Amino acid sequence: MQLPANLAHISVEQDWQHTTAYPPLGFTPFAEGALGNGDTFGLYWPIGREAYEPIVVETWHDEWRLQPHFSSLAAFLQAYATAEDEYVATPSLADDPASPRAAFLEAKELIAQRNPAAAVALLEAALAIVPEYTDALVLLHGQYVRAGRIEEAVKVAIQAIISPPSFGGPPLKALQWLRTQPVPDGEPDPIWRACGQLSFNFGGSKDNVDYPVLLAAIDTYLEQGNYLSASTLMQTYAELMSAETVSFQERYEFDQTAFIARQIAVSAQLPNGSRDPAMMLFKGQ
């Protein structure tokens, strides 16, 4: 994991341990900008981008969400230095031209103004930084479908389905659309092959057939050596299952500690190594 050049300017929680599904693997909180209500800012390395410096996200703990506000620690520190009453607001594109959150919000405005081409460019730029940004994936999928860019729409729909709820969703429209698309013979992606078995309707029932399908897809990604998709879907699975009741988790043999350990082990197979900050962030510091 690539450390930001100005790491010394923040008070990172150096004993941070990834023990729960939320906040997700790859996140480490720091003290600056926290308002004392349980929400905090933190460094976050998007999945597959561990060789790059982290972005800065804000936790919305009541919603189990992360908002990818700042494209870099430098951009956050600039906003923090000028913040009134230490409240660091969501940046605009003028403040941080590469902010994924600002790009998403501006894209929504552009779509409302019937300027989809500009919106698509912003969404693609945001997803180049945070590939698991579920809200942006869902919005981009709709624009691809409207433009008749079906092959790209399929890829984005799959990515939205495997991406975690902490970054948005649920991607119901993307799932419903993907279920209408004919699956090519020999299609390797397990989510596309099994999307007809998924409902993405979680909570409130004793059983849910989605979970075995998602677990099987994780195993298939691992068999294919697709550790990027496997790591993404594992985070999604952990967050979804953690929102279920204890009795539900027991029925599905979900052991959070064991699953997180498996997440960390799988992430170590990524090209740039483990996503666990406890193992990597302060190694040798």
Side-chain angles (χ1 to χ4, degrees):
M1 301 172 92
Q2 178 66 41
L3 300 180
N6 39 16
L7 183 64
H9 291 84
I10 56 173
S11 306
V12 177
E13 190 173 327
Q14 298 202 22
D15 60 351
W16 175 257
Q17 297 286 329
H18 184 67
T19 58
T20 57
Y22 175 87
L25 193 64
F27 170 85
T28 300
F30 56 78
E32 287 72 18
L35 296 177
N37 62 349
D39 292 338
T40 183
F41 286 94
L43 304 176
Y44 179 75
W45 282 263
I47 301 171
R49 292 181 57 83
E50 296 79 14
Y52 297 88
E53 290 195 6
I55 65 172
V56 172
V57 299
E58 183 179 7
T59 64
W60 290 4
H61 75 283
D62 286 343
E63 302 177 34
W64 279 33
R65 290 289 185 94
L66 290 187
Q67 296 296 350
H69 285 322
F70 295 93
S71 63
S72 67
L73 179 55
F76 168 83
L77 289 170
Q78 183 175 3
Y80 180 64
T82 58
E84 296 183 8
D85 300 323
E86 296 190 352
Y87 176 71
V88 184
T90 305
S92 66
L93 287 176
D95 301 324
D96 181 358
S99 162
R101 177 69 173 165
F104 170 74
L105 294 174
E106 179 66 17
K108 290 180 70 175
E109 291 293 328
L110 288 167
I111 291 169
Q113 297 166 13
R114 299 185 180 181
N115 189 352
V120 165
L122 284 176
L123 293 168
E124 290 175 340
L127 289 164
I129 297 172
V130 191
E132 65 270 36
Y133 191 0
T134 314
D135 277 341
L137 287 161
V138 169
L139 195 58
L140 181 59
H141 172 261
Q143 298 311 301
Y144 279 163
V145 171
R146 290 184 182 90
R149 298 167 65 174
I150 302 305
E151 184 175 344
E152 292 160 296
V154 166
K155 292 178 181 178
V156 169
I158 293 169
Q159 182 67 15
I161 291 165
I162 70 171
S163 291
S166 56
F167 279 107
L172 293 174
K173 289 185 178 180
L175 173 61
Q176 291 165 358
W177 178 86
L178 188 63
R179 293 175 68 167
T180 69
Q181 303 304 301
V183 181
D185 292 338
E187 169 57 41
D189 188 88
I191 290 295
W192 195 1
R193 294 201 308 261
C195 66
Q197 303 174 52
L198 294 171
S199 69
F200 263 58
N201 182 19
F202 296 99
S205 61
K206 185 176 179 180
D207 296 296
N208 191 324
V209 298
D210 282 30
Y211 287 111
V213 174
L214 296 177
L215 271 184
I218 290 169
D219 289 341
T220 299
Y221 283 138
L222 291 173
E223 291 167 2
Q224 295 171 345
N226 187 349
Y227 299 109
L228 191 64
S229 293
S231 292
T232 305
L233 185 51
M234 288 182 80
Q235 180 60 44
T236 299
Y237 185 91
E239 291 182 19
L240 292 171
M241 185 61 82
S242 294
E244 300 285 359
T245 64
V246 172
S247 59
F248 186 98
Q249 294 172 13
E250 290 174 348
R251 281 196 298 276
Y252 282 82
E253 300 181 341
F254 177 71
D255 181 323
Q256 180 170 249
T257 300
F259 194 87
I260 288 173
R262 188 182 181 214
Q263 271 189 273
I264 293 170
V266 168
S267 78
Q269 301 300 313
L270 292 167
N272 300 301
S274 174
R275 293 179 47 73
D276 183 10
M279 297 174 63
M280 300 297 292
L281 181 56
F282 298 104
K283 185 177 181 180
Q285 296 293 302

